[in-house]
Amino acid sequence: MWTFFSLGGFIAALLLPLHMVVASLAPSPVPEAYGIPFLKTSFSFRHFLYENPYAFVLPLPFFPVEVVGLVLKLYLVALLGGTAFHGLHRFKYTLFDFGLRKQKRALNVVLYGIAFAVSGMTFLALFP
Amino acid sequence: MATKTVYHRYRPHQSPLWFLSNRRYFAFMLRELAGLFIAVYAILIAVGLFAGRFHPVLPGPNGSIDVYASMAWLLKTRGFFVFTLISLAFACYHSLTWFDLFPQVTPIQIRGWKVPNRWVFGGMVALWIGLSLALYVVLYGGKLL
């Protein structure tokens, strides 16, 4: 569990703020072309390459859409699963601090259960 | 006359609002609370993805509901926008405190020379910004200028 928490902490710290800005706050959100709906409404890969000269510095856009899509899907599973593990682990200790230390076993089952469910649901939703 | 000593069992008492007594404790609790916000955000997105994948269309009061379209709409509502803004502030606070904590948990040494904590913190922030910009361009198809 601690490994998941620690890894999730790194993922959440480095990737989550950007995801929040791009996926939820920016006026035009994330790629639908990669088979990930509701995260972007209009996106064209060729248009993106044409419009974005910086992308040529980085190798990923040269790969086929399927490969980039796979990377993006794995990224989302790691992001959401890792964030859930990290966040709920910290929340468990918040509840400890509020005096729920005796209910440790129940909290473990519920909170880590939710974190496993989030990871599993994201995986099932993105990988048919 | 022998006196009988009565022992009272020591019962530690801690107020549920103990963290309000000190600024540092409050900052600590704020950091812990950030965990809840980022977890709730992840859960909402995961549930939306899952529901849309397995029940793309649900029956509603005025005909059927497209789940993905509803999620896209929900992300754009004012309430969710404010929630995401608050979560973003918490997430940034959580990230920065983690970068500050990192060199204290795992001190980095190069041939016996300890890299100063501030340098490690600066490096982590640079990594954070660099990685965010790279992913913004590569995965999210954003433009830098």
Short mmCIF file of all heavy atoms in Angstrom, two decimals, chain B residues 99 102-103 108 115-125:
data_model
loop_
_atom_site.label_atom_id
_atom_site.label_comp_id
_atom_site.label_asym_id
_atom_site.label_seq_id
_atom_site.Cartn_x
_atom_site.Cartn_y
_atom_site.Cartn_z
N PHE B 99 7.49 18.79 -2.64
CA PHE B 99 8.83 19.08 -3.15
C PHE B 99 9.73 19.60 -2.03
O PHE B 99 10.93 19.34 -2.00
CB PHE B 99 8.77 20.13 -4.27
CG PHE B 99 7.98 19.69 -5.46
CD1 PHE B 99 7.34 20.62 -6.29
CD2 PHE B 99 7.87 18.35 -5.79
CE1 PHE B 99 6.61 20.21 -7.38
CE2 PHE B 99 7.13 17.94 -6.88
CZ PHE B 99 6.50 18.88 -7.67
N PHE B 102 10.58 16.46 0.15
CA PHE B 102 11.35 15.40 -0.51
C PHE B 102 12.83 15.34 -0.09
O PHE B 102 13.29 14.27 0.32
CB PHE B 102 11.20 15.53 -2.03
CG PHE B 102 11.88 14.44 -2.79
CD1 PHE B 102 11.33 13.16 -2.81
CD2 PHE B 102 13.06 14.67 -3.47
CE1 PHE B 102 11.96 12.13 -3.49
CE2 PHE B 102 13.69 13.64 -4.16
CZ PHE B 102 13.13 12.37 -4.16
N PRO B 103 13.58 16.47 -0.13
CA PRO B 103 15.00 16.37 0.25
C PRO B 103 15.19 16.05 1.73
O PRO B 103 16.25 15.56 2.13
CB PRO B 103 15.56 17.77 -0.07
CG PRO B 103 14.39 18.65 -0.15
CD PRO B 103 13.23 17.81 -0.60
N ILE B 108 19.85 13.79 -0.82
CA ILE B 108 20.61 13.36 -1.99
C ILE B 108 22.09 13.70 -1.77
O ILE B 108 22.43 14.84 -1.45
CB ILE B 108 20.08 14.04 -3.26
CG1 ILE B 108 18.63 13.59 -3.50
CG2 ILE B 108 20.93 13.68 -4.47
CD1 ILE B 108 17.91 14.36 -4.57
N VAL B 115 23.60 17.51 -1.33
CA VAL B 115 23.01 18.57 -2.15
C VAL B 115 22.08 19.40 -1.27
O VAL B 115 21.25 18.83 -0.56
CB VAL B 115 22.21 17.96 -3.33
CG1 VAL B 115 21.60 19.04 -4.20
CG2 VAL B 115 23.11 17.05 -4.16
N PRO B 116 22.24 20.74 -1.26
CA PRO B 116 21.39 21.58 -0.38
C PRO B 116 19.90 21.37 -0.69
O PRO B 116 19.52 21.21 -1.85
CB PRO B 116 21.81 23.00 -0.73
CG PRO B 116 23.17 22.89 -1.34
CD PRO B 116 23.21 21.54 -2.00
N ASN B 117 19.09 21.39 0.39
CA ASN B 117 17.65 21.17 0.23
C ASN B 117 17.01 22.14 -0.75
O ASN B 117 16.12 21.76 -1.51
CB ASN B 117 16.96 21.30 1.60
CG ASN B 117 17.27 20.12 2.48
OD1 ASN B 117 17.97 19.19 2.07
ND2 ASN B 117 16.77 20.14 3.70
N ARG B 118 17.47 23.38 -0.74
CA ARG B 118 16.88 24.39 -1.63
C ARG B 118 17.11 24.05 -3.09
O ARG B 118 16.26 24.29 -3.94
CB ARG B 118 17.48 25.76 -1.34
CG ARG B 118 16.86 26.41 -0.14
CD ARG B 118 17.34 27.81 -0.01
NE ARG B 118 16.73 28.47 1.10
CZ ARG B 118 16.87 29.76 1.36
NH1 ARG B 118 17.61 30.52 0.58
NH2 ARG B 118 16.28 30.31 2.39
N TRP B 119 18.31 23.48 -3.37
CA TRP B 119 18.61 23.11 -4.75
C TRP B 119 17.67 21.99 -5.21
O TRP B 119 17.18 22.02 -6.33
CB TRP B 119 20.07 22.63 -4.88
CG TRP B 119 21.09 23.69 -4.68
CD1 TRP B 119 20.93 24.88 -4.04
CD2 TRP B 119 22.44 23.65 -5.14
NE1 TRP B 119 22.10 25.59 -4.05
CE2 TRP B 119 23.04 24.85 -4.72
CE3 TRP B 119 23.21 22.71 -5.84
CZ2 TRP B 119 24.37 25.16 -5.00
CZ3 TRP B 119 24.53 23.00 -6.11
CH2 TRP B 119 25.11 24.23 -5.69
N VAL B 120 17.48 21.02 -4.30
CA VAL B 120 16.59 19.89 -4.64
C VAL B 120 15.17 20.42 -4.88
O VAL B 120 14.51 20.05 -5.84
CB VAL B 120 16.60 18.82 -3.53
CG1 VAL B 120 15.67 17.67 -3.89
CG2 VAL B 120 18.01 18.31 -3.30
N PHE B 121 14.73 21.33 -3.99
CA PHE B 121 13.39 21.92 -4.13
C PHE B 121 13.27 22.63 -5.48
O PHE B 121 12.31 22.43 -6.23
CB PHE B 121 13.13 22.89 -2.98
CG PHE B 121 11.82 23.62 -3.09
CD1 PHE B 121 10.63 22.97 -2.81
CD2 PHE B 121 11.78 24.95 -3.49
CE1 PHE B 121 9.42 23.63 -2.92
CE2 PHE B 121 10.57 25.63 -3.60
CZ PHE B 121 9.39 24.96 -3.31
N GLY B 122 14.29 23.44 -5.81
CA GLY B 122 14.29 24.16 -7.09
C GLY B 122 14.26 23.20 -8.26
O GLY B 122 13.52 23.40 -9.23
N GLY B 123 15.05 22.12 -8.15
CA GLY B 123 15.09 21.12 -9.21
C GLY B 123 13.74 20.45 -9.41
O GLY B 123 13.29 20.24 -10.54
N MET B 124 13.08 20.14 -8.29
CA MET B 124 11.77 19.49 -8.38
C MET B 124 10.74 20.42 -9.03
O MET B 124 9.93 19.98 -9.85
CB MET B 124 11.28 19.10 -6.98
CG MET B 124 12.11 18.06 -6.29
SD MET B 124 11.87 16.41 -6.93
CE MET B 124 10.40 15.93 -6.06
N VAL B 125 10.79 21.71 -8.65
CA VAL B 125 9.84 22.67 -9.23
C VAL B 125 10.11 22.80 -10.74
O VAL B 125 9.17 22.81 -11.55
CB VAL B 125 9.93 24.04 -8.54
CG1 VAL B 125 9.10 25.07 -9.27
CG2 VAL B 125 9.49 23.94 -7.09
#
